[in-house]
Amino acid sequence: MPSMSAADNDRTPVTVLGLGAMGTALATTFLENGHPTTVWNRSTDKAEELVAKGAVRAASAPDAAAASPLVVLCVLDHHAVSEILDTVGDALPGRVLVNLTSGTPAQARAAARWAAEHGADYLDGGILADPQDIGTSNGFLLYSGPQDAFETREATLKALGGVTTYIGTDAGQAAVYFMALIGVGYETWISYLHTLALVGAENIKATTFAPFVTGMFSGMNELLTAMARATDDGYYPPDAGPLGVHAALMDDLIATRQASGIDVERLEHVKSLIDRRVAEGHGADGFSSLIETIGNPST
Ligand code: FVH
């Protein structure tokens, strides 16, 4: 008989504030894992399905926060977080407040200070998953804040599935990682869509072209690791080729996209960074040396 893990045995009562797509997925998963779950949402109708599954609907956010030692907040944005926190302060002493709402590192650090003033431990979290991934092996959930608070509640948080990663004691760190990672997502996806527009202009179907991109990405881990090492070392061997070669190649890429009527705004920005770096005498550096211009925008 396999031994039961701490997570398997854990039945900590949990409160979920916010029942949008993600909040509902969180509350459903806690219920399915046997946690007594109290829920609250600004629009009360969204609690109906969860009540039918055994959740307790609280009459107010303070009542909901008072109902459990672990309070999970997952609403649209920091404005919503602030409006809710303004009402629950007196219900929080002794509790762990886990904020899974997306926000900036500064907002997370301010919320952590607010929670401490109200006698609660604050963990900030980032969810790199879709609602349907919650409770499955997919997705990343990142946390930061007091390590003892995380360790106390880790077994319960692990019920949310995916890879549960504790980043560190600075409450803002999970938001740093989250914003950095979704930044990679947005800039990759928009670049990919421009590429699909380019091949589309040549009557090449996106699904025909896609395997060339997925194949390229599958081999990119080594380059990404090398670029990280170059960034940390401040030494830029010609990873992905020297900047002088990139400069010539980018002129051709910009011309090719322009010929197909596709915007080149971001490419021209990249080209301007390359030209600046080459002009500073770094034409033999690798692409990673652009980090020196990104961190120091031109005056
Ligand atoms: N959905 C996703 O795939 C992404 C995955 C990555 C992480 N995000 C973040 O999760 C937060 C919640 O996102 P969501 O998808 O659940 O958002 P909605 O379905 O739009 O639900 C929004 C809830 O927020 C409540 N709300 C909005 N404003 C207020 C307010 N001023 N006071 C109180 N509650 C407020 C809203 O309530 P109602 O409109 O139903 O009354 C919903 O419960 C978010 O940070 C994502 O970035 C999800």
Side-chain angles (χ1 to χ4, degrees), residues 18-24 40-44 46 74-77 79-81 83-84 100-103 127-131 178:
L19 300 177
M22 187 55 82
T24 296
W40 173 86
N41 192 66
R42 177 181 61 177
S43 308
T44 55
K46 285 189 182 168
C74 189
V75 286
L76 181 63
D77 57 16
H79 170 71
V81 167
E83 286 199 350
I84 291 169
L100 294 177
T101 305
S102 304
I127 305 175
L128 288 148
D130 294 329
F178 178 82

Side-chain angles (χ1 to χ4, degrees), residues 145-221:
Q147 186 162 3
D148 56 347
F150 175 75
E151 289 173 353
T152 306
R153 298 303 171 198
E154 182 176 8
T156 307
L157 295 172
K158 280 190 168 175
L160 299 177
V163 177
T164 300
T165 304
Y166 176 70
I167 300 291
T169 56
D170 169 7
Q173 283 271 299
V176 171
Y177 276 62
F178 178 82
M179 290 300 171
L181 289 167
I182 58 166
V184 171
Y186 287 129
E187 295 198 79
T188 302
W189 302 329
I190 195 64
S191 166
Y192 182 51
L193 292 179
H194 277 74
T195 296
L196 295 184
L198 176 64
V199 299
E202 296 285 344
N203 301 313
I204 300 164
K205 287 178 66 68
T207 46
T208 302
F209 184 73
F212 289 84
V213 180
T214 54
M216 191 174 89
F217 276 121
S218 66
M220 210 174 276
N221 290 351

Side-chain angles (χ1 to χ4, degrees), residues 68-86:
S68 312
L70 175 59
V71 180
V72 176
L73 176 57
C74 189
V75 286
L76 181 63
D77 57 16
H78 187 68
H79 170 71
V81 167
S82 299
E83 286 199 350
I84 291 169
L85 292 188
D86 284 347

Side-chain angles (χ1 to χ4, degrees), residues 113-132:
R113 289 192 295 272
W114 178 91
E117 290 161 7
H118 290 78
D121 283 320
Y122 178 88
L123 291 173
D124 201 71
I127 305 175
L128 288 148
D130 294 329
Q132 64 267 25

Side-chain angles (χ1 to χ4, degrees), residues 1-32:
M1 172 77 168
S3 61
M4 298 276 278
S5 71
D8 294 331
N9 287 316
D10 174 58
R11 294 293 179 270
T12 303
V14 182
T15 284
V16 178
L17 302 175
L19 300 177
M22 187 55 82
T24 296
L26 299 172
T28 302
T29 303
F30 285 128
L31 278 171
E32 288 171 352

